Amino acid sequence: MTAFVPHVIAWNLTRRCNLACAHCYIAAGSWHAARSELSTERCHEILDQLLAVNPNPMLILTGGEPLLRDDLEELARHASDAGATVVVGTNGTRLTDDRIHSLMEAGVTGVAVSIDSLDPVYHDRFRHGDGALQDTLDAIDRLREHRLDFVIQTSLTRGNRAELPRLVEWAAEKGAVSFNLYFLVPTGRGEGMQGLSPDENEEVLRELAELEAAYRGRLMVRSKCQPQLMRHVNEGSPLQNYRTRCPCGVQYCRITPEGKVTPCPYLPIEAGDLAEQSFGEIWADSPVFHTLRHGELGGKCGACEYAEVCGGCRARAHATTGDLLGPDESCAYEPAGGPRIQPTGIHYGEEIRISPAWTPEARERVARIPSFVRGVVTSRVEAFARREGYAEIDLEVMSEVRKAMPVDFSRRLPFFLRSPDEEVQ
């Protein structure tokens, strides 16, 4: 693989939505027409292009509300059969038992569900949908019953900031894989909203780091669009296994409902148009991606000793300064001018050369692991084998690693480590 691989691809399949959330970056709503979306046939063609660049990405199918597309399962099946890890991002209100079953049959391995408050007045007003919270809470119970992994997504505002500890506790009680807190990027309908001040963001990040440590082993707690969390994470946190500097355009990108490619959902600047170029051509040759991969950060982000593990949110920098490489002004930290801090552990998406001690069957199993975590898994398996004195890594050793793996590492990865006998149980 090359140094720059699209490990995670978010695809906004539609702008249609049964809700009209106040902060929506894509300004989704019920008034959008299905005819403006890519056809099913064209989506299949694009999927083939994506998978030609990376056969094992994480593909996030979202919207708008992706459950409004009748071909969602067909597209998910195409991607999952080819080797992608497919997840769906939804507001949750349309997750019936039948729909959950059909998603699972199509190979969907997880669902990200939006919950902004456990107070129905706040959540329903923020999402512009009467009864939306109750519908989503009912859907989460159904996801648990069907044993389909789910993530809780919360958009941070002053209105729900005090509820953060309770939301994390509730997510853990419900059995969520992860709690993701999104910090506002002023784009789409969110352009007219005001996020928290830098000092307030700093307080929230400190609290998130404490919650991440408190729930370790039960629930992953993460910040989104606020990589400054890494300044607060203690050594030994699983978050430090990854290069968490803003990945947009480097290992992550987004496809719009019309087929435009952008660095991320919150950064609407076009890197290319799939009507004119293939995905592979855009990923390799886009000047926008080249800037994000090779350009020098400006302002205090460029001067910061945390530039390699944080680097600020590129979408927010562009939204507020017009510069892809500009400073992220949501950050309260003032650089101290020391040496740059480097990521520890295995970098996000890093490939590890598999040693000759692996059996062919084990090598084949590793090839099925999503590319964005393959390096981390390979490193852990090899370290386990060395520690236990195994001269060869086979499927049984991989099964032992799965049983010893911490719960908070991943709920999906153990599947790839099971022996054939375990898979039929």
Side-chain angles (χ1 to χ4, degrees):
M1 285 189 176
T2 62
F4 302 105
V5 178
H7 291 292
V8 182
I9 302 163
W11 193 342
N12 296 115
L13 289 171
T14 181
R15 293 181 190 273
R16 289 178 290 148
C17 190
N18 56 312
L19 302 179
C21 305
H23 66 307
C24 182
Y25 63 82
I26 202 170
S30 59
W31 53 87
H32 291 289
R35 62 178 177 273
S36 65
E37 302 163 8
L38 296 170
S39 68
T40 302
E41 180 182 10
R42 182 62 181 138
C43 287
H44 281 296
E45 293 171 353
I46 292 172
L47 279 172
D48 287 335
Q49 294 177 16
L50 303 180
L51 295 164
V53 177
N54 180 6
N56 306 112
M58 173 174 280
L59 181 63
I60 305 169
L61 300 178
T62 184
E65 177 46 61
L67 297 182
L68 291 174
R69 280 198 64 138
D70 295 334
D71 59 0
L72 177 62
E73 283 84 352
E74 180 181 339
L75 299 176
R77 171 55 63 194
H78 179 161
S80 63
D81 281 352
T85 297
V86 183
V87 298
V88 170
T90 173
N91 61 43
T93 60
R94 303 175 66 87
L95 282 171
T96 62
D97 285 309
D98 287 343
R99 202 67 195 267
I100 292 170
H101 178 73
S102 67
L103 290 173
M104 295 178 72
E105 286 290 305
V108 172
T109 59
V111 177
V113 182
S114 299
I115 295 282
D116 296 303
S117 174
L118 297 175
D119 175 3
V121 173
Y122 179 93
H123 179 93
D124 291 359
R125 184 176 64 239
F126 190 74
R127 296 276 163 181
H128 290 178
D130 291 342
L133 176 62
Q134 190 58 56
D135 288 343
T136 304
L137 294 178
D138 292 343
I140 288 170
D141 288 338
R142 287 191 284 271
L143 289 168
R144 290 187 67 186
E145 291 169 4
H146 287 272
R147 301 184 68 181
L148 179 58
D149 287 345
F150 62 94
V151 169
I152 299 299
Q153 316 258 54
T154 295
S155 296
L156 176 68
T157 69
R158 287 193 177 89
N160 65 2
R161 187 259 174 275
E163 199 177 353
L164 178 58
R166 174 60 188 132
L167 282 166
V168 173
E169 178 185 29
W170 172 83
E173 290 172 349
K174 286 295 182 180
V177 173
S178 179
F179 176 86
N180 295 338
L181 185 67
Y182 281 78
F183 289 70
L184 178 71
V185 177
T187 186
R189 274 201 293 271
E191 187 174 359
M193 297 179 65
Q194 185 176 2
L196 275 63
S197 71
D199 288 340
E200 289 171 324
N201 285 336
E202 194 76 356
E203 291 177 4
V204 173
L205 290 172
R206 279 194 291 267
E207 186 171 355
L208 271 185
E210 293 171 357
L211 290 166
E212 185 270 328
Y215 285 89
R216 194 174 301 164
R218 294 179 59 198
L219 175 76
M220 290 183 284
V221 179
R222 296 175 171 176
S223 69
K224 296 293 182 178
C225 307
Q226 201 75 20
Q228 291 87 348
L229 176 65
M230 290 306 294
R231 288 190 291 102
H232 300 276
V233 173
N234 294 323
E235 189 171 346
S237 165
L239 292 174
Q240 292 195 353
N241 281 327
Y242 306 97
R243 182 185 294 278
T244 51
R245 176 172 168 173
C246 181
C248 70
V250 180
Q251 294 158 332
Y252 175 50
C253 67
R254 181 271 295 256
I255 301 173
T256 73
E258 301 79 22
K260 314 292 186 182
V261 179
T262 78
C264 88
Y266 299 93
L267 215 173
I269 185 171
E270 290 181 17
D273 187 342
L274 290 168
E276 301 172 357
Q277 296 174 281
S278 71
F279 178 82
E281 291 170 334
I282 295 169
W283 181 259
D285 302 327
S286 167
V288 172
F289 289 160
H290 185 273
T291 296
L292 288 166
R293 294 166 189 171
H294 302 289
E296 291 292 328
L297 297 178
K300 69 178 185 178
C301 284
C304 186
E305 60 268 36
Y306 290 94
E308 297 301 323
V309 296
C310 171
C313 172
R314 296 300 93 214
R316 188 179 295 105
H318 182 265
T320 56
T321 71
D323 183 359
L324 283 171
L325 302 176
D328 179 353
E329 299 294 353
S330 71
C331 179
Y333 183 74
E334 292 299 330
R340 286 200 170 181
I341 297 167
Q342 298 299 315
T344 60
I346 305 302
H347 295 178
Y348 180 95
E350 182 177 340
E351 289 294 317
I352 300 296
R353 185 181 299 278
I354 299 176
S355 71
W358 291 63
T359 66
E361 295 79 10
R363 287 175 181 269
E364 181 182 357
R365 185 62 56 84
V366 167
R368 295 167 54 192
I369 297 174
S371 66
F372 71 105
V373 288
R374 191 179 300 137
V376 178
V377 175
T378 303
S379 177
R380 289 197 173 205
V381 173
E382 291 184 340
F384 178 88
R386 287 192 297 269
R387 185 172 64 248
E388 299 298 322
Y390 289 110
E392 184 178 63
I393 297 172
D394 58 17
L395 295 182
E396 293 304 319
V397 172
M398 296 180 75
S399 177
E400 288 188 44
V401 176
R402 178 184 69 84
K403 294 172 182 176
M405 186 175 288
V407 175
D408 65 340
F409 180 59
S410 175
R411 297 285 182 86
R412 297 308 311 173
L413 292 184
F415 165 78
F416 299 100
L417 304 178
R418 293 176 190 160
S419 68
D421 290 341
E422 288 178 293
E423 287 186 9
V424 299
Q425 290 179 1

